[in-house]
Amino acid sequence: MLRYALRRLPSALLVLLVASVLVFGVLRLAPGDPAVVLAGPDASPATVAEVRASLGLDSPLPAQYWTWLTGVLTGDLGTSFILGAPIATLIGHGLGNTLELTVAALLLAVAGGGAAGFALGTARRPAVRGLVGGAVNLALAVPPYATGVLLVLVFAVALPVLPASGHESLLADPVIGAQYLLLPAVCLALPTGAVLARFLATALRRAEQEDYVRTGHGKGLPRRHLLARHVLPGALPPVVTVLGIQTGQLLGGAIVVEAVYAWPGLGQLLLQAVLGRDYLLVQDLLLFAVAVFVVLQTLTDLVQARLDPRVRMGGAG
């Protein structure tokens, strides 16, 4: 397992390096100038030039990239152009809130998607499969911003039982914090849970057609025993891979959900940085998101290799 993990390390580092170049280059192609934003619309060209020089934006692009990359590698993320605060502090504050939201959404997606996928893949009654399948398709088809608005209209306006927006830390007040967390977590979890449900249902049906399962049926083993001991373990490896990908995509979905519910996380911070043309903050946030995705994908591959020895053997070969 250790050898397999070490074999994955160079490719992960290469992905991060390529991502840093792409993030840096694409942002420079975007319209807008942070120096103009900071200087103000009525600033003279000389003032704008002074601001640009103070930000280091007058240096050649390779020099700007190298300065940024060495800062990231040494832990110096710099200072936000627009907010004027250390970027590490801003990310640390927003990361805690985003983790709170994504972990809650992930737990709901795994629980709900697992139950729906198991029912969809193993139920023998057409009515049950049709009902669960329709709910899964609906959760997958409706975009998060529409789901978020609908949840607010139902549970915060028509039935005022939950707050429409805002945030309260679970550590400070678990009861109030859970009330603020429930709607955005459900909104973020629905599409992820739907994807997991469909993949799990397909994997279960495919695993139930394996020869060893048919042999178990032929020997008279109870279906419940076969599902728990053979079908479900055989269906887990591909579902774990999908779960890892979906966990990384939760960060992207969090941007929309945090905007709908005014959740003070990394999504809100990224939106504020993009609108303010804060190059340095956007670069750090995007590279951090790529790093999280790479780490999650690597951990997913390790878990899959643990569940399926054929993956380790292929990696070792």
Side-chain angles (χ1 to χ4, degrees):
M1 181 64 72
L2 180 60
R3 180 178 298 180
Y4 178 77
L6 292 176
R7 286 178 178 271
R8 296 303 309 272
L9 186 60
S11 61
L13 294 177
L14 180 61
V15 169
L16 289 175
L17 180 61
V18 173
S20 69
V21 175
L22 292 177
V23 166
F24 181 87
V26 169
L27 286 179
R28 294 312 186 277
L29 297 176
D33 188 346
V36 175
V37 175
L38 286 177
D42 299 328
S44 63
T47 302
V48 174
E50 291 179 1
V51 174
R52 186 177 292 110
S54 65
L55 298 178
L57 299 177
D58 59 340
S59 303
L61 291 181
Q64 293 183 40
Y65 172 77
W66 180 251
T67 300
W68 171 59
L69 184 63
T70 53
V72 170
L73 293 176
T74 57
D76 182 13
L77 301 182
T79 302
S80 169
F81 297 160
I82 305 300
L83 301 178
I87 292 178
T89 302
L90 295 173
I91 292 179
H93 181 266
L95 179 62
N97 297 333
T98 297
L99 281 178
E100 184 179 306
L101 175 59
T102 53
V103 169
L106 182 62
L107 293 177
L108 291 175
V110 170
F118 189 82
L120 188 60
T122 61
R124 291 178 173 177
R125 296 182 179 179
V128 174
R129 293 198 302 269
L131 181 62
V132 176
V136 168
N137 291 334
L138 182 63
L140 191 60
V142 180
Y145 63 84
T147 305
V149 174
L150 181 62
L151 290 175
V152 169
L153 291 177
V154 173
F155 295 102
V157 179
L159 303 173
V161 294
L162 292 173
S165 63
H167 171 262
E168 178 67 36
S169 175
L170 288 173
L171 298 178
D173 192 330
V175 176
I176 301 299
Q179 294 178 13
Y180 279 106
L181 178 62
L182 187 57
L183 286 185
V186 169
C187 179
L188 187 59
L190 282 176
T192 300
V195 171
L196 291 177
R198 295 185 66 175
F199 271 90
L200 179 58
T202 302
L204 286 171
R205 296 192 195 104
R206 188 173 300 166
E208 201 166 6
Q209 298 301 318
E210 295 289 342
D211 292 338
Y212 60 87
V213 178
R214 293 182 177 181
T215 302
H217 282 296
K219 291 182 177 181
L221 294 177
R223 185 168 184 259
R224 182 179 301 177
H225 173 82
L226 290 173
L227 289 175
R229 298 292 298 274
H230 300 286
V231 176
L232 185 58
L236 281 182
V239 177
V240 169
T241 300
V242 174
L243 177 60
I245 296 175
Q246 290 298 312
T247 302
Q249 291 182 351
L250 282 176
L251 294 175
I255 297 177
V256 177
V257 174
E258 289 180 5
V260 172
Y261 291 97
W263 190 270
L266 293 181
Q268 282 281 72
L269 184 62
L270 178 60
L271 181 62
Q272 188 175 3
V274 170
L275 294 178
R277 306 296 190 272
D278 198 334
Y279 284 163
L280 191 56
L281 181 54
V282 175
Q283 289 170 187
D284 290 338
L285 286 172
L286 292 180
L287 187 61
F288 178 76
V290 173
V292 170
F293 188 85
V294 169
V295 170
L296 289 174
Q297 192 60 43
T298 302
L299 292 177
T300 301
D301 291 342
L302 294 178
V303 173
Q304 187 178 20
R306 185 69 176 178
L307 294 173
D308 190 349
R310 294 173 298 180
V311 177
R312 296 198 302 271
M313 293 173 64

